Amino acid sequence: MSSAASLPRRLRAERDCVALLGKGCCVVDLAGCERYAIVISSQGVAAIVGDVSDDRLVVDADAADGATLPAFAIGTRSDGTQVWLEYVSGSGGTYERCRPPRADDVRRGAAKAEGKWPAVIVESIARYYGLQALEPSVRGFLAILEKQFDRADAYVWELLQNGVDDGATQVVVERLSERRGVRVSHDGRRFTPLDVLGLSSVGLSTKSLLSDGNAPRSIGFMGIGFKAVYRRFKRVTVSDGRWRFRYDEPRDRAPGEPKHAWVLRPAPLELDGESTWCAFDLERPRQSVEADLRPPNASAVAMVGRAAAHRSGKTWTLDWDGRRHAVALSTKNDEETITVDVAKGDRSNTRTFVAFVHGWRPRGAAKEAYEAHTKRAHDGNAEELRLFFEVGAEEQRPGLIHCTLPTRVRAPTGKGTHLDGPFLLSVDRGSLDGQHAWNAALLQNGLGELLVKLLRWAARACRDADDKAKVLRDAFSRLP
């Protein structure tokens, strides 16, 4: 038997799909109709996969429950080789051999994830990961899952940051009625099949799947970070007007089933509205969520809002349990001013942050360390390190290292002065190794320049200040 014939049909098809489409696709067996598999991509269902005779494939009417079929299919011959097939118009489900298509043709011919496809895709992903949950390595990961996030409110910030990655300009964090839990929703890009795959995966971020550059999301979706919600809640419902599915911890587990297997098994639900906002309903809390909804960290809001405003060019708004934050960004050369207007009821105030930016293009050992850690090539673009603080704040606490969101690690700066940059963090995003070649290079190549910019800013501020000594004392207190 050839090596090709010894591979499962799904893996053989995925090999050919990745060769054509890049990593932005995944093949899963079709739930309820195991004669077929489907190739899912950010565009939808890119192809059907099935066994063929005479290089012809006839897809049963019940295979996709009447959903529109994609333009292409991959046929698996008895000797394990693959052949590309094209849909015969008006045939009711027949595919015949064709020349190998171009990647763009397959993307354009994908069946859109609408109508009945979302439910079919969710069920197929649930079956795919449901089987993986029984693997020893996955069982081990699930066993330590709840220990990875020591901050109880980590889930809120993971969802906030992913909303920013999706281009959201409005985010709402609110309580569900009858103390059922919390809803996080945003107006960013709606979900794709690969997003559902990433939400349901063990340690998968669609950042790597979307590296072919043809999918709209550029930073990656969820991966391990989304699993932070399960430490706090037993039920998560995800919806956006096209998709609606749920992860629900069972009250009784089947014998031999891993404790956390349910986090890999989404169940499709009927749509319940026309909203196009992405919503995460987090229910059945394990304990009170009151502490999670305390007024958010000011520097975190400033940095998340800055990232969102920079992407969209618009003011970013966050409604956090009735407290509205509006974050605006203005830039002049390598200096940024971030204003955060906070309002609740008839009370309001404005907090202003100043940030200094230094760009650095990695090379040598730092670049190699990054690529070894992330398992992907660096894109060659300059990285930015940012020193920032709140203007006029009487802050006595030490500054923190941020990677947009704050970590627990003290920054090598003075009081209330933070550093933000693309640091490589621990799984829980709370710590980092300062001796790692990448993290060390960020500091070595940027911190000194940023401190010089701080002192230059203080010198300019002194020109118009009535109390010049106070300005200088403040600036020098921010030095290491």
Side-chain angles (χ1 to χ4, degrees):
M1 180 179 290
S2 70
S3 59
S6 65
L7 285 173
R9 177 182 59 203
R10 182 185 63 77
L11 294 181
R12 280 176 275 166
E14 187 158 313
R15 180 188 58 193
D16 286 5
C17 288
V18 169
L20 179 66
L21 301 176
K23 293 183 179 180
C25 62
C26 184
V27 183
V28 296
D29 289 323
L30 187 62
C33 197
E34 297 178 10
R35 296 186 302 279
Y36 308 101
I38 53 175
V39 181
I40 59 175
S41 68
S42 58
Q43 290 79 29
V45 178
I48 297 287
V49 181
D51 295 330
V52 296
S53 59
D54 300 325
D55 290 348
R56 190 168 182 266
L57 176 67
V58 179
V59 178
D60 298 341
D62 63 343
D65 197 20
T68 302
L69 295 174
F72 294 96
I74 298 175
T76 303
R77 297 168 172 150
S78 59
D79 63 357
T81 58
Q82 309 270 255
V83 59
W84 279 96
L85 311 166
E86 188 170 11
Y87 182 73
V88 178
S89 180
S91 66
T94 300
Y95 290 82
E96 294 183 348
R97 185 177 179 180
C98 66
R99 281 188 250 177
R102 297 176 303 173
D104 287 344
D105 292 335
V106 175
R107 294 187 182 103
R108 282 194 295 267
K112 294 182 179 179
E114 56 188 27
K116 294 184 178 181
W117 269 124
V120 172
I121 292 170
V122 169
E123 289 176 346
S124 300
I125 289 173
R127 183 181 183 280
Y128 174 70
Y129 281 123
L131 294 174
Q132 286 200 11
L134 302 177
E135 293 290 333
S137 60
V138 177
R139 290 170 67 101
F141 177 89
L142 293 173
I144 64 172
L145 180 63
E146 64 186 9
K147 301 180 178 66
Q148 293 299 315
F149 303 96
D150 60 353
R151 279 186 52 173
D153 64 348
Y155 67 92
V156 181
W157 293 103
E158 286 292 336
L159 295 177
L160 277 177
Q161 187 161 2
N162 279 283
V164 170
D165 289 351
D166 284 342
T169 59
Q170 301 176 76
V171 180
V172 177
V173 180
E174 60 189 319
R175 301 167 191 264
L176 293 172
S177 61
E178 300 175 358
R179 305 174 70 87
R180 289 184 295 119
V182 176
R183 171 178 292 162
V184 180
S185 58
H186 63 76
D187 67 346
R189 184 183 63 77
R190 296 162 81 178
F191 303 120
T192 74
L194 289 185
D195 296 333
V196 183
L197 187 74
L199 282 167
S200 307
S201 74
V202 175
L204 169 70
S205 168
T206 51
K207 183 188 302 185
S208 59
L209 288 178
L210 305 190
S211 59
D212 64 345
N214 290 288
R217 179 173 277 112
S218 62
I219 291 188
F221 189 64
M222 303 303 180
I224 293 175
F226 177 70
K227 303 300 184 287
V229 301
Y230 301 124
R231 177 175 177 174
R232 303 292 282 133
F233 300 93
K234 299 178 182 180
R235 173 183 290 166
V236 180
T237 304
V238 184
S239 62
D240 71 353
R242 280 197 300 245
W243 299 85
R244 187 165 179 259
F245 51 94
R246 174 177 291 164
Y247 303 87
D248 209 350
E249 181 177 311
R251 300 188 186 279
D252 297 301
R253 282 184 288 128
E257 183 176 83
K259 178 181 178 182
H260 293 91
W262 64 277
V263 309
L264 309 179
R265 295 174 178 167
L269 300 173
E270 293 288 334
L271 296 178
D272 65 350
E274 298 181 355
S275 174
T276 60
W277 277 42
C278 298
F280 299 84
D281 286 0
L282 314 175
E283 301 175 271
R284 296 175 60 197
R286 300 183 188 279
Q287 59 192 61
S288 173
V289 299
E290 289 300 316
D292 303 358
L293 297 177
R294 288 178 298 191
N297 179 293
S299 68
V301 172
M303 282 296 100
V304 173
R306 190 216 71 84
H310 176 73
R311 285 172 178 271
S312 68
K314 302 176 181 177
T315 297
W316 181 75
T317 63
L318 167 65
D319 188 323
W320 182 291
D321 195 25
R323 186 185 301 266
R324 186 178 186 274
H325 306 75
V327 183
L329 171 69
S330 62
T331 303
K332 184 177 181 181
N333 298 323
D334 54 2
E335 185 177 312
E336 299 175 337
T337 301
I338 305 155
T339 57
V340 183
D341 293 323
V342 186
K344 184 171 185 179
D346 58 358
R347 295 183 177 183
S348 64
N349 66 82
T350 298
R351 305 177 73 165
T352 301
F353 294 79
V354 64
F356 310 106
V357 185
H358 177 70
W360 164 68
R361 196 174 300 278
R363 57 177 60 87
K367 184 177 178 182
E368 292 173 4
Y370 172 89
E371 293 175 346
H373 183 93
T374 63
K375 304 296 189 293
R376 62 177 180 271
H378 190 272
D379 60 15
N381 293 327
E383 301 287 354
E384 288 186 346
L385 188 66
R386 184 172 281 99
L387 182 147
F388 73 100
F389 55 88
E390 184 175 0
V391 178
E394 296 295 332
E395 182 63 78
Q396 297 302 318
R397 291 175 297 181
L400 297 175
I401 293 285
H402 286 56
C403 186
T404 304
L405 299 177
T407 69
R408 297 184 299 272
V409 181
R410 291 182 59 169
T413 56
K415 63 176 186 179
T417 306
H418 311 285
L419 280 177
D420 174 66
F423 295 97
L424 297 178
L425 306 180
S426 59
V427 171
D428 68 353
R429 298 183 54 86
S431 62
L432 72 157
D433 178 4
Q435 300 303 312
H436 188 283
W438 173 263
N439 293 334
L442 277 173
L443 296 175
Q444 291 167 2
N445 289 277
L447 181 56
E449 294 289 339
L450 291 174
L451 295 175
V452 170
K453 293 176 183 183
L454 166 65
L455 295 177
R456 287 175 178 166
W457 172 83
R460 292 195 303 271
C462 277
R463 295 171 189 168
D464 302 320
D466 293 330
D467 190 343
K468 293 179 172 55
K470 181 179 179 182
V471 172
L472 292 176
R473 283 196 304 270
D474 178 77
F476 277 92
S477 73
R478 300 186 184 281
L479 298 177

